[in-house]
């Protein structure tokens, strides 16, 4: 096989139905155009024909791609999962979820840029990868184990391996199930743990003894010095230790009594996960999303048990904690839900914050247990949980309305973007585009005085002029569509190279244009791969990936303009700091967005001109074949 730089060179395909294993050259998927991560996932899914099957059908491919920078020192130790998602609502859509830990680097060192699994095994199995040796092995002894036990066992059986596993939630096809590496490095959104469970695939174990060929080691060493310097400036790791959303009192308790050390993804200097241990409960970690557990109780032991339990059972912490308790609390506060309803109608213990006398511990463990056991409707994800009660309870409609306020679109709990550009992004995506929410938080709409002037000028904004984000007419003026397009392509790129969200922010907004993130990324990619990549070709790659993702939506899901919307309530009342959004103005904003994207304004479908400009003629031809070209 031809020597490759940056990319490992092979894509591994395993069909669990017939046990067939094939190794395909990565070059077949044009990595120089689609890079890796979400880009490579999209390309593989497109080449598979965008199967029109349900999430749990054997023909739904589970695709995992690292990127050309994965495995190199820096915030690059990540990969992306792409698959048809059981969590998306009302339809199951092809979507994405990123994760870090040790596994992404290990799969690269074993020689694979991507692994994609199709089919379904007859009995529980795991995939064992040791460099070139790939085997499907019996996992009946692992089935039923939690994620920690599974990893411990596999680290013994497959010495030196890193393991991507599911817990009971995935086995029981909970739409809230994650795929986990280490203690909390999870592909959290999407319910992809259940896709693994539906294939009877308990784990993917990888051990690599190879390395990554670097085209220009001297330039890479210079860039690594930049990473080291940037890391000294960034205080994200300190912010997240102890738990970021905890009260000061709880932060102090956890810091003084339970904190052990930091850890994080392979090669990353941030090491933003904090390990804590409470004797008798156990050891685990916390970083961003799972620190929401600290908002629900004042009792350290109850919080810690819920946090670790969700990791062991393989449950999506963010959707669980920011979702169900949050919606129940709001419904209780508005008088929609009474204390006794929680027990009598919803079948859950009633904690003090819902007017009951049961402990937080009992409420949280009962909820997690039901989600993990696959007990419907608890395991069905937020949208389907509240939909289930809609016609069964007198107040079911009102509960569903509260849910819709807290979940803008596609069945995901909102990730606080709270400005018009972010709302448009949610409307046109397939999930909560979470790792863009930080971009919007740092965007000029918030008029952060630390944002460098050139970023403001890029969006045509007067430097440091104060706007209020509640003022929709001002955000029109602020070219919301320009921001959405920029953030979408930025997201496509950082999820493909990959560059971790938590590390990338300071580069974009607080550094000088000479070391803006895109400049840094293009130099990194050039040094690692030996290709001549400038900022403009990188931006084109981001746009290409966004267009391919859109084409997948159009081909597989018949995505059209009318589906690019938010839950209706967002047009009717003010929610968080935004709205009510003027529907007419939102439609005008969509017009401008499609125009800027080069998509047909009437349908939202990509046009031949745009696709061909991006080198996607085959995609244009296919959309034309099915009469869905804009
Ligand atoms: S900043 Fe944290 S999540 Fe991101 S790569 Fe580093 S350790 Fe992983």
């Amino acid at each position: 096989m031809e020597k490759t730089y940056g990319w490992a060179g092979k894509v591994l395909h395993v069909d669990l139905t017939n046990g067939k294993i094939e190794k395909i050259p990565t070059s077949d998927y044009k990595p120089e155009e689609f890079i890796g991560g979400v880009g490579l996932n999209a390309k593989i899914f497109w080449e598979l024909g965008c199967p029109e099957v349900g999430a749990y059908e054997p023909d739904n491919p589970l695709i995992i791609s690292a990127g050309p920078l994965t495995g190199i020192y820096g915030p690059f130790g990540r990969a992306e999962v792409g698959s048809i998602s059981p969590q998306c609502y009302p339809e199951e859509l092809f979507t994405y979820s990123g994760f870090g830990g040790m596994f992404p680097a290990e799969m690269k060192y074993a020689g694979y840029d991507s692994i994609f699994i199709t089919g379904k095994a007859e009995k529980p199995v795991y995939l064992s990868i040791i460099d070139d040796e790939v085997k499907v092995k019996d996992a009946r002894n692992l089935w039923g184990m939690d994620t920690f036990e599974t990893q411990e066992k596999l680290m013994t059986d497959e010495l030196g391996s890193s393991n991507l596993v599911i817990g009971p939630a995935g086995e029981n096809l909970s739409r809230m199930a994650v795929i986990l590496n280490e203690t909390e490095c999870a592909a959290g959104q999407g319910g992809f743990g259940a896709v693994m469970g539906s294939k009877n695939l308990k784990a993917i174990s990888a051990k690599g003894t190879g390395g990554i060929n670097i085209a220009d080691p001297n330039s890479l060493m210079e860039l690594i010095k930049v990473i080291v310097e940037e890391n000294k400036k960034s205080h994200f790791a300190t912010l997240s230790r102890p738990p970021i959303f905890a009260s000061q009192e709880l932060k102090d308790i956890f810091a003084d009594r339970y904190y052990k050390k930091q850890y994080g993804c392979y090669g990353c200097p941030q090491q933003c996960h904090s390990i804590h241990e409470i004797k008798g409960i156990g050891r685990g970690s916390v970083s961003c999303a799972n620190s929401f557990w600290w908002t629900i109780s004042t009792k350290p032991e109850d919080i810690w048990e819920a946090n670790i339990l969700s990791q062991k059972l393989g449950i999506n912490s963010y959707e669980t904690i920011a979702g169900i308790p949050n919606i129940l609390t709001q419904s209780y506060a508005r008088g929609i839900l009474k204390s006794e309803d929680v027990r009598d109608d919803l079948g859950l213990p009633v904690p003090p914050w819902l007017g009951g006398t049961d402990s937080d511990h009992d409420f949280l463990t009962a909820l997690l247990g039901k989600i993990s056991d696959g007990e419907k409707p608890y395991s069905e994800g937020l949208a389907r949980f509240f939909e289930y009660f809609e016609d069964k309870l007198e107040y079911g409609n009102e509960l569903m309305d509260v849910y819709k306020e807290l979940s803008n679109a596609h069945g995901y709990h909102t990730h606080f973007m709270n400005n018009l550009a972010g709302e448009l992004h949610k409307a046109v995506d397939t999930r909560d585009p979470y790792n863009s929410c930080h971009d919007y938080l740092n965007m000029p709409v918030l008029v952060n005085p630390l944002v460098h002037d050139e970023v403001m000028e890029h969006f045509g904004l007067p430097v440091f002029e104060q706007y209020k984000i509640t003022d929709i007419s001002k955000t029109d003026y602020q070219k919301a569509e320009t921001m959405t397009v920029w953030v979408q392509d930025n997201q496509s790129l950082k999820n493909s190279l990959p560059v971790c969200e938590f590390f990338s922010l300071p580069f974009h907004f607080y550094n000088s244009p000479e070391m803006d993130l895109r400049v840094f990324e293009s130099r990194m990619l050039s040094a690692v791969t030996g290709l001549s990549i400038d900022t403009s070709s990188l931006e084109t790659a981001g746009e290409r990936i966004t267009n391919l993702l859109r084409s997948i939506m159009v081909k597989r899901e018949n995505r059209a303009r009318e589906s690019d919307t938010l839950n209706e309530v967002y047009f009717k009342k003010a929610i968080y700091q935004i709205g009510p959004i003027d529907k007419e103005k939102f439609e005008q904003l969509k017009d401008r967005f499609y125009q800027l994207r080069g998509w047909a304004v009437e349908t939202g479908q990509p046009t031949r001109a745009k696709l061909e400009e991006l080198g996607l003629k085959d995609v244009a031809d296919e959309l034309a074949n099915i009469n869905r070209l804009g």
Side-chain angles (χ1 to χ4, degrees), residues 20 26 56 146 183 193 245 281 307 332-333 367 372 450 465 467 504 572 599:
K20 191 176 154 205
T26 307
Y56 298 151
D146 71 36
T183 51
F245 298 120
I281 299 177
N307 181 46
Y332 175 69
L367 180 61
S372 165
L450 293 173
E465 186 172 335
Y467 290 129
S504 66
K572 292 188 174 141
W599 299 346

Side-chain angles (χ1 to χ4, degrees), residues 102-103 105-112 127-133 154-155 157-163 204-210:
M102 301 294 147
F103 185 89
E106 207 66 53
M107 75 181 249
K108 281 281 297 283
Y109 295 158
Y112 306 100
L127 187 62
S128 162
I129 302 168
I130 304 174
D131 296 329
D132 238 7
E133 195 179 294
L154 283 172
M155 280 191 277
D157 292 355
E158 307 277 340
L159 212 56
S161 63
S162 181
N163 299 285
I204 304 174
S205 178
K207 174 178 156 69
T209 58

Side-chain angles (χ1 to χ4, degrees), residues 74-78 100-101 185 236 263-273 287 499-503:
F76 315 119
R78 302 186 60 80
C185 298
F236 185 80
Y263 99 113
C265 306
Y266 182 90
C268 178
Q270 275 281 311
Q271 301 291 291
C272 72
H273 309 293
S287 59
V499 177
C500 178
E501 166 75 0
F502 293 141
F503 204 91

Side-chain angles (χ1 to χ4, degrees), residues 373-597:
D373 289 347
E375 186 180 330
K376 292 180 181 174
Y378 308 92
S379 63
E380 287 286 88
L382 283 188
R384 291 172 179 87
F385 175 82
F386 288 103
E387 184 190 55
Y388 173 86
F389 291 110
E390 210 173 0
D391 56 7
K392 290 188 177 54
L393 300 174
E394 217 174 287
Y395 55 92
N397 281 337
E398 290 173 273
L399 275 185
M400 189 66 179
D401 286 345
V402 177
Y403 156 73
K404 283 179 177 167
E405 286 180 25
L406 298 171
S407 169
N408 326 52
H410 317 304
Y412 291 79
H413 191 272
T414 186
H415 258 96
F416 37 82
M417 291 168 184
N418 305 336
N419 64 70
L420 204 52
E423 296 306 316
L424 174 62
H425 193 156
K426 288 174 196 164
V428 299
D429 209 298
T430 47
R431 50 161 284 189
D432 60 324
Y434 116 85
N435 52 8
S436 291
C437 71
H438 300 117
D439 284 341
Y440 291 110
L441 285 173
N442 282 274
M443 272 281 166
V445 280
L446 295 183
V447 195
N448 186 334
L450 293 173
V451 174
H452 66 71
D453 295 358
E454 286 74 9
V455 172
M456 306 285 277
E457 280 159 16
H458 178 83
F459 295 106
L461 301 173
V463 175
F464 299 153
E465 186 172 335
Q466 295 289 328
Y467 290 129
K468 287 194 170 65
I469 57 172
T470 45
D471 188 336
I472 301 297
S473 64
K474 288 290 186 195
T475 53
D476 274 353
Y477 167 74
Q478 286 177 320
K479 300 196 206 172
E481 76 279 9
T482 317
M483 293 182 200
T484 311
V485 167
W486 184 88
V487 177
Q488 272 191 313
D489 293 348
N490 180 47
Q491 173 172 288
S492 292
L493 267 182
K494 66 186 170 189
N495 289 344
S496 295
L497 289 161
V499 177
C500 178
E501 166 75 0
F502 293 141
F503 204 91
S504 66
L505 294 173
F507 274 90
H508 261 320
F509 299 110
Y510 312 135
N511 272 4
S512 66
E514 290 76 48
M515 199 39 92
D516 185 271
L517 182 63
R518 210 87 315 139
V519 176
F520 170 75
E521 288 165 348
S522 59
R523 289 190 197 165
M524 276 296 293
L525 203 51
S526 301
V528 169
T529 65
L531 300 171
S532 179
I533 295 159
D534 57 17
T535 53
S536 138
S537 56
L538 210 49
E539 277 162 8
T540 303
E543 189 183 3
R544 181 182 300 117
I545 292 164
T546 306
N547 272 267
L548 182 57
L549 287 166
R550 180 70 181 186
S551 300
I552 288 171
M553 292 182 213
V554 169
K555 176 176 156 111
R556 180 181 178 274
E557 287 128 23
N558 198 9
R559 187 66 173 254
R561 179 179 177 129
E562 54 273 18
S563 314
D564 290 340
T565 193
L566 303 166
N567 284 332
E568 199 57 30
V569 66
Y570 279 76
F571 302 106
K572 292 188 174 141
K573 70 189 268 194
I575 295 170
Y576 295 122
Q577 298 104 315
I578 190 161
I581 297 170
D582 183 315
K583 200 158 192 181
E584 205 181 316
K585 283 186 178 173
F586 194 71
E587 290 302 316
Q588 289 163 2
L589 175 60
K590 280 164 64 178
D591 288 349
R592 300 199 302 276
F593 169 78
Y594 297 134
Q595 271 162 6
L596 192 60
R597 273 265 164 242

